[in-house]
Amino acid sequence: SKGRPKAADYEPSVRTIFGMAWALYRGRLCTEGPMPDRMQEVTWAKLAWNEACKRLHTQVAYDAEILKMITSRGSHLRGEVKTKVRPYVADEYGFETSTKQSVIDRNIMLARELKKDFAFTRSPDGNKGLYSAKIIQKGVNTIWFRDKKDEGVLYPEFYKPFPEVAFALLLTAIESCIDEWSSGAQTNKMFTVDEYQDVLDEHLNNLADFDEHTKAQGLLPKLLSRLHDNGR
């Protein structure tokens, strides 16, 4: 067919390999890093394809097009995480759509307050604990545990307990959605590696610090297990 190849252009047996290779590639993005460089992407795509062939007891050699179709899932995953969490943001934090200047000013102030010291990770209903915001579990459920055929359920090797890296990606996506309100009215903001790699790194560092400071109580492992168990 003309234009860029799609999975549908391949015969059904190869399409089955694609389905699993994509899930394995996304699993790696969620456990090792959702914003890999080009070399890393290609390495992970080859590993995902070979592993999918092995699990399906078949052998189909990959080519440059197949690898490209797998690596394109990186931006697809980032886009999906943001798209699926976006509808919850206004409700969770109280942003309002209005032409009234007082509401616009309040939105600007709210976006600023939420980003200060990562306040948005805490629940707005009085529970001041870090990572207590209800939107976190909602996001996990919607993105990875929608039903019994979703990746969180089918690939426990990646998602049980819920991976720290995917958690940081979700927090970065929520922050990007809050950034959309920073002018007082919601505007679409691109969720790109260039724009958000540093933010992602910051969330990963915060999670590592949180883990370090609460090691005795094992709070982060408990939280990650809970995100998985409640997702199921």
Side-chain angles (χ1 to χ4, degrees):
S1 71
K2 289 178 183 166
R4 289 174 62 180
K6 303 184 294 293
D9 298 335
Y10 291 84
E11 58 183 80
S13 61
V14 180
R15 290 209 294 271
T16 306
I17 303 171
F18 267 119
M20 185 173 281
W22 278 331
L24 294 169
Y25 181 71
R26 282 164 62 106
R28 201 173 275 271
L29 291 174
C30 287
T31 48
E32 294 189 34
M35 299 181 181
D37 61 33
R38 183 72 194 128
M39 212 164 116
Q40 194 76 75
E41 276 184 339
V42 173
T43 304
W44 289 354
K46 289 174 182 174
L47 287 169
W49 185 263
N50 289 339
E51 176 63 20
C53 286
K54 198 167 124 191
R55 290 189 188 192
L56 293 164
H57 310 292
T58 183
Q59 199 49 58
V60 177
Y62 55 72
D63 58 20
E65 283 304 339
I66 283 174
L67 295 178
K68 201 183 290 179
M69 285 164 68
I70 297 172
T71 58
S72 71
R73 290 284 145 153
S75 55
H76 184 268
L77 171 69
R78 293 189 295 273
E80 183 192 337
V81 171
K82 179 159 178 197
T83 302
K84 286 187 174 171
V85 83
R86 197 174 187 251
Y88 299 128
V89 169
D91 268 359
E92 175 85 10
Y93 300 110
F95 290 109
E96 290 179 75
T97 302
S98 174
T99 51
K100 276 191 194 162
Q101 194 56 49
S102 58
V103 176
I104 290 169
D105 291 344
R106 194 184 144 281
N107 287 338
I108 293 170
M109 189 66 81
L110 182 57
R112 204 173 296 155
E113 287 296 316
L114 287 168
K115 280 171 66 79
K116 201 165 139 192
D117 301 327
F118 305 99
F120 73 88
T121 67
R122 297 174 167 86
S123 176
D125 64 10
N127 181 348
K128 294 293 178 227
L130 258 183
Y131 309 121
S132 58
K134 290 187 174 68
I135 193 170
I136 293 170
Q137 186 73 60
K138 281 182 196 165
V140 169
N141 294 359
T142 310
I143 299 155
W144 289 279
F145 293 94
R146 207 175 47 253
D147 54 40
K148 287 189 167 59
K149 290 184 179 158
D150 216 344
E151 284 158 49
V153 179
L154 294 181
Y155 295 92
E157 67 267 39
F158 296 122
Y159 301 103
K160 183 182 183 183
F162 192 69
E164 218 168 303
V165 168
F167 188 16
L169 175 62
L170 177 59
L171 294 172
T172 307
I174 294 168
E175 185 164 346
S176 178
C177 293
I178 291 167
D179 288 340
E180 295 190 335
W181 288 94
S182 59
S183 65
Q186 191 178 27
T187 51
N188 204 17
K189 193 162 178 50
M190 295 298 284
F191 192 42
T192 60
V193 174
D194 288 350
E195 191 98 3
Y196 282 99
Q197 178 72 64
D198 291 348
V199 180
L200 176 76
D201 290 343
E202 231 176 337
H203 285 297
L204 283 167
N205 290 336
N206 286 350
L207 285 166
D209 289 346
F210 176 69
D211 189 30
E212 192 55 45
H213 290 124
T214 59
K215 229 177 195 39
Q217 304 96 307
L219 289 192
L220 185 62
K222 281 178 190 164
L223 171 62
L224 297 173
S225 289
R226 203 164 58 239
L227 288 174
H228 167 271
D229 297 346
N230 292 343
R232 293 285 324 251

